[in-house]
Amino acid sequence: MTKKERRRRTVEIEEEETVSANKHKPWIETEYQGIVMENDNTVLLNPPLFALDKDAPLHYAGEICGFRVHNGPSGSGSVQFEAVVLDRSTGEGLVRSKEPLDCESQREHSFTIQAYDCGEGPDGVNSKKSHKATVHVRVNDVNEFSPVFVERRYEASVPEGRLFDRIVRVEALDADCSPQYSQICFYDIITPNVPFAIDNDGNIKNTEPLDSKHQRVHTFWVTAFDCGKNRAQADAQVVVTVKPSCKPGWIGWTKRVEYTPGSGSIPLFPSLHLETCEETVWNIQATVDLQTGHIGKGCDRDSYSDRSVRRLCGAVRGEVDLLPPPSPAANWTSALPTLPSSDSSLVFSFNGSNHVAVVPDSVVSALSGDHFTLQLWIRRGGANIQPSTTQTRGSRKDEETIVCSTVKNDDSFSHYSLSVHGCRLSLFYWPDVSAARPVKFLWKLEQVCDSEWHHLSLSVQFPSVTLYVDGVTFDPALIHDNGAIPNPAPRQRMSIGACWELEEKQKEILNNTIPEGKDSVKYVGGYHGLLSGVTVRPGSVEPHSVVECLYACREGLDFGDLETLGSGMKVHVNPSQSVLVLEGDDIESFNRAVQQVTYRNSLRFATPGVRPLKLSTSLRCYIRQFSVRLGVVLQQFAVDR
């Protein structure tokens, strides 16, 4: 056998041994974790890639010839990656990317890998494959991008003279995928010597109060750095405008307005406008208050007597004047002090002790019946009146009686008293002093304790009672249980300014009568204040329109043209036209509305003097969720003859 034949025979024997020896599959780990940099293609695996074969160290059967990459769970990965064998005998392999990877477009990749041996010979016949292992590859970011500002120019305006926690905020973004390189670590003002500072969040504040006179506009540049210390591609410009000092308030009002009688309605605020210092407003409310309490009975009214005014207003005749001017026929008011009045009526003063008007029986006898209307002008307190030594002014324990009356109704007697008690007005009514229980009607009114003139009209159609105060209706609270109150004496009488009290030891009631000269009268519950125009009209009550006419002022506030009101504007005027309220949410519409507020006085001979005018404004703005309340603007205007 030649040498060449012997060599061929040796190879055949080795191949036979290999075929018989390739009994095992290669083995690899079940899972690998890998990382690859954006600027590299080699994947670093943990654990390293090694394929083992139990057929080693046999030739071919115990060697690893290659790795195959398959798609992962998402259906991608095999196209972008490949695996190569570094050493066939040790089974060491390497995973690498076929093309550059981009962290910003895809940061995570997953695929499977499988090893196969060299089979039974050099042609790889009958090679065996391992199981499939999962490979997770994370692409590590490279700081390839620089920060970019959202805006190239930032503008803000601030009032002068103040320090702000934040004037404006600049913002830069970085396109890198990792937190390390995509976050902005800090900002910097690169313009030197400016009175501003910037924090790591981009908030810019002033380091000293700004002065618009010294420098109206501040311009400077800022830059940004990511956490990899890459600087922004382009710096941003910041412009801060300093506004002169501004205080919210009314501008364009005058301290004095002259009014000539007969000139009709005149605007009070023709040039007035509201300065809001460029703040966004969501609600404005202004109250115009005309203060005329010092003019006559609260305002300018017709300079006629109360009787004449009643005729002009169409009131039903038949009223009885309980406080007439002193005369031989009406002398029960001669002892009462009087005060001057701008109209033809008399104003009577009561001091709460010895000022009492006892109405004669001849007058009281005409006031029988349980249907009547009691009207009067009242002002608690009054001028030059000293409180009684036995009563405390404003005390809640002592009632002050205005009118006290017992009248005869056919075969019975009824009794009522009208009193004030602090800020309460009460009507104590006893329909039958010998049988029925009394009823107390109670009203809580600010008008009876504000020391101003007010008109009261009390219409009684028992058990119904209606009270008008300055022409406005008020509902009472009823009190039926008044405790153990002794029945009033069945005797016809009436007093103004107090109520009588019979001393028990001198009462001698015989057949429901008190003999003449047998009672000693003591008056209690003295009224402290001013009264005028006290009248009672028995029979049907006065209509509401008549009551409004009797109270009506001839001067007051008005609004020019309601048709020109802007959207969302509201106007309200009280019955006496002394208070006008405007409400809205738009500055321009509100300014136009204020300029249409007018004053009018229809009297030919108006009462001269100053009428103080108060404008109170509430302004609510979107300023850190706070409300801005404007101060009170005081204005005066004079009425000349």
Side-chain angles (χ1 to χ4, degrees):
M1 181 181 295
T2 63
K3 185 176 181 179
K4 185 176 181 179
E5 290 175 345
R6 287 198 301 269
R7 186 182 300 112
R8 184 183 303 115
R9 180 61 180 168
T10 302
V11 170
E12 290 176 354
I13 294 174
E14 290 177 354
E15 288 178 353
E16 291 176 359
E17 291 176 352
T18 301
V19 170
S20 62
N22 191 13
K23 299 178 180 180
H24 302 94
K25 296 179 181 179
W27 178 90
I28 58 176
E29 300 285 349
T30 58
E31 186 176 45
Y32 296 90
Q33 301 291 334
I35 58 173
V36 60
M37 302 299 295
E38 276 187 314
N39 57 0
D40 194 4
N41 66 342
T42 301
V43 179
L44 301 179
L45 292 180
N46 182 26
L49 181 59
F50 282 92
L52 305 178
D53 197 311
K54 290 184 178 181
D55 293 322
L58 295 178
H59 191 43
Y60 297 115
E63 295 176 339
I64 304 300
C65 273
F67 295 93
R68 291 189 179 93
V69 176
H70 304 276
N71 287 339
S74 61
S76 63
S78 62
V79 177
Q80 296 171 291
F81 294 89
E82 63 180 0
V84 296
V85 177
L86 299 180
D87 189 331
R88 293 173 58 171
S89 61
T90 62
E92 182 182 1
L94 174 69
V95 176
R96 62 192 177 192
S97 63
K98 297 178 182 179
E99 56 188 23
L101 300 176
D102 186 9
C103 175
E104 285 71 39
S105 57
Q106 185 174 351
R107 192 176 183 185
E108 302 283 346
H109 299 268
S110 294
F111 53 90
T112 60
I113 191 173
Q114 191 176 36
Y116 60 93
D117 61 20
C118 296
E120 299 174 354
D123 56 358
V125 176
N126 294 325
S127 66
K128 295 184 181 295
K129 297 180 290 185
S130 71
H131 63 273
K132 292 180 180 180
T134 303
V135 180
H136 301 284
V137 177
R138 184 179 77 249
V139 182
N140 275 3
D141 189 23
V142 174
N143 194 13
E144 56 188 318
F145 295 102
S146 296
V148 177
F149 280 98
V150 177
E151 303 287 344
R152 294 297 303 275
R153 179 185 173 95
Y154 293 87
E155 296 184 5
S157 58
V158 293
E160 64 180 355
R162 292 170 54 189
L163 290 175
F164 296 89
D165 293 332
R166 186 177 78 175
I167 296 176
V168 65
R169 181 178 183 268
V170 300
E171 183 181 13
L173 303 177
D174 194 300
D176 285 304
C177 68
S178 65
Q180 178 183 1
Y181 299 131
S182 65
Q183 290 184 358
I184 307 301
C185 269
F186 64 95
Y187 295 86
D188 190 23
I189 297 177
I190 59 178
T191 304
N193 302 322
V194 293
F196 298 94
I198 188 170
D199 62 17
N200 292 341
D201 294 323
N203 298 309
I204 296 177
K205 66 179 181 179
N206 57 323
T207 57
E208 61 185 49
L210 304 178
D211 187 354
S212 63
K213 296 179 182 178
H214 179 261
Q215 186 172 351
R216 182 68 184 273
V217 178
H218 294 265
T219 303
F220 53 94
W221 294 84
V222 298
T223 191
F225 293 86
D226 63 21
C227 294
K229 296 186 179 180
N230 271 4
R231 181 173 169 173
Q233 289 181 352
D235 301 326
Q237 186 184 48
V238 179
V239 179
V240 178
T241 303
V242 184
K243 298 183 297 184
S245 297
C246 179
K247 183 179 180 181
W250 290 103
I251 298 177
W253 59 279
T254 56
K255 292 185 177 180
R256 186 178 179 90
V257 177
E258 299 290 338
Y259 181 83
T260 303
S263 57
S265 296
I266 64 168
L268 294 174
F269 317 109
S271 304
L272 198 63
H273 67 277
L274 187 59
E275 174 59 60
T276 61
C277 300
E278 301 181 6
E279 300 294 347
T280 304
V281 176
W282 63 271
N283 180 265
I284 321 168
Q285 187 177 67
T287 302
V288 185
D289 186 4
L290 178 65
Q291 300 176 359
T292 58
H294 60 293
I295 306 296
K297 296 191 187 76
C299 66
D300 245 350
R301 294 184 170 84
D302 288 310
S303 55
Y304 307 112
S305 65
D306 291 328
R307 187 180 297 273
S308 299
V309 172
R310 290 182 58 81
R311 287 199 298 268
L312 292 173
C313 291
V316 180
R317 297 186 178 183
E319 76 279 359
V320 176
D321 193 351
L322 301 182
L323 290 179
S327 67
N331 60 357
W332 65 90
T333 60
S334 58
L336 296 177
T338 59
L339 300 177
S341 175
S342 58
D343 53 25
S344 300
S345 62
L346 281 180
V347 175
F348 292 91
S349 174
F350 294 82
N351 63 0
S353 56
N354 58 344
H355 291 167
V356 182
V358 180
V359 183
D361 289 348
S362 59
V363 177
V364 179
S365 60
L367 305 178
S368 62
D370 56 3
H371 289 193
F372 61 90
T373 299
L374 173 65
Q375 296 188 0
L376 55 95
W377 286 95
I378 181 174
R379 178 180 176 184
R380 295 283 299 283
N384 301 323
I385 300 178
Q386 298 297 324
S388 170
T389 56
T390 61
Q391 295 186 10
T392 303
R393 179 75 167 89
S395 172
R396 298 183 57 88
K397 296 187 296 183
D398 299 325
E399 288 192 350
E400 302 177 23
T401 304
I402 302 172
V403 179
C404 189
S405 173
T406 301
V407 296
K408 185 175 183 181
N409 304 318
D410 297 331
D411 56 352
S412 65
F413 288 85
S414 63
H415 174 86
Y416 72 86
S417 63
L418 182 67
S419 306
V420 286
H421 180 197
C423 289
R424 289 174 172 80
L425 179 75
S426 63
L427 175 68
F428 187 78
Y429 191 79
W430 208 314
D432 187 347
V433 299
S434 62
R437 296 294 300 163
V439 178
K440 191 173 187 177
F441 301 86
L442 189 65
W443 297 267
K444 186 177 181 180
L445 303 169
E446 294 181 0
Q447 291 89 335
V448 297
C449 59
D450 62 2
S451 298
E452 301 289 343
W453 277 108
H454 296 283
H455 182 262
L456 305 184
S457 179
L458 192 66
S459 297
V460 178
Q461 286 181 301
F462 192 78
S464 175
V465 174
T466 304
L467 173 68
Y468 298 96
V469 181
D470 298 336
V472 179
T473 308
F474 288 86
D475 295 325
L478 299 182
I479 300 176
H480 294 279
D481 185 7
N482 294 282
I485 300 177
N487 294 31
R491 176 179 176 181
Q492 187 168 268
R493 62 178 68 186
M494 176 180 285
S495 61
I496 312 296
C499 196
W500 59 88
E501 178 183 71
L502 294 181
E503 296 182 7
E504 296 293 334
K505 62 180 182 179
Q506 296 185 9
K507 288 183 180 179
E508 297 179 9
I509 301 178
L510 300 174
N511 299 325
N512 287 334
T513 64
I514 299 179
E516 291 292 334
K518 293 295 184 177
D519 63 325
S520 175
V521 179
K522 176 184 178 182
Y523 290 98
V524 295
Y527 169 70
H528 184 277
L530 305 178
L531 294 176
S532 180
V534 183
T535 63
V536 174
R537 185 180 60 78
S540 59
V541 299
E542 298 281 16
H544 189 192
S545 58
V546 173
V547 176
E548 287 183 332
C549 178
L550 293 174
Y551 170 71
C553 292
R554 297 297 180 248
E555 66 174 335
L557 302 172
D558 204 350
F559 191 81
D561 185 5
L562 293 174
E563 299 296 330
T564 62
L565 271 179
S567 176
M569 286 296 304
K570 300 178 183 179
V571 179
H572 173 73
V573 185
N574 70 337
S576 64
Q577 293 186 286
S578 62
V579 177
L580 184 145
V581 180
L582 293 170
E583 185 174 3
D585 54 15
D586 179 70
I587 289 293
E588 296 302 324
S589 299
F590 202 88
N591 286 338
R592 289 193 297 270
V594 169
Q595 293 169 6
Q596 294 192 60
V597 177
T598 62
Y599 168 82
R600 57 104 186 101
N601 193 318
S602 59
L603 290 182
R604 182 178 179 184
F605 300 103
T607 303
V610 173
R611 275 77 163 167
L613 193 67
K614 183 171 70 173
L615 176 59
S616 304
T617 308
S618 174
L619 176 65
R620 299 182 182 271
C621 307
Y622 291 106
I623 306 178
R624 302 178 188 172
Q625 300 181 352
F626 285 104
S627 296
V628 178
R629 296 192 64 86
L630 297 184
V632 173
V633 177
L634 292 178
Q635 186 182 32
Q636 292 183 341
F637 65 95
V639 178
D640 297 331
R641 288 189 180 275

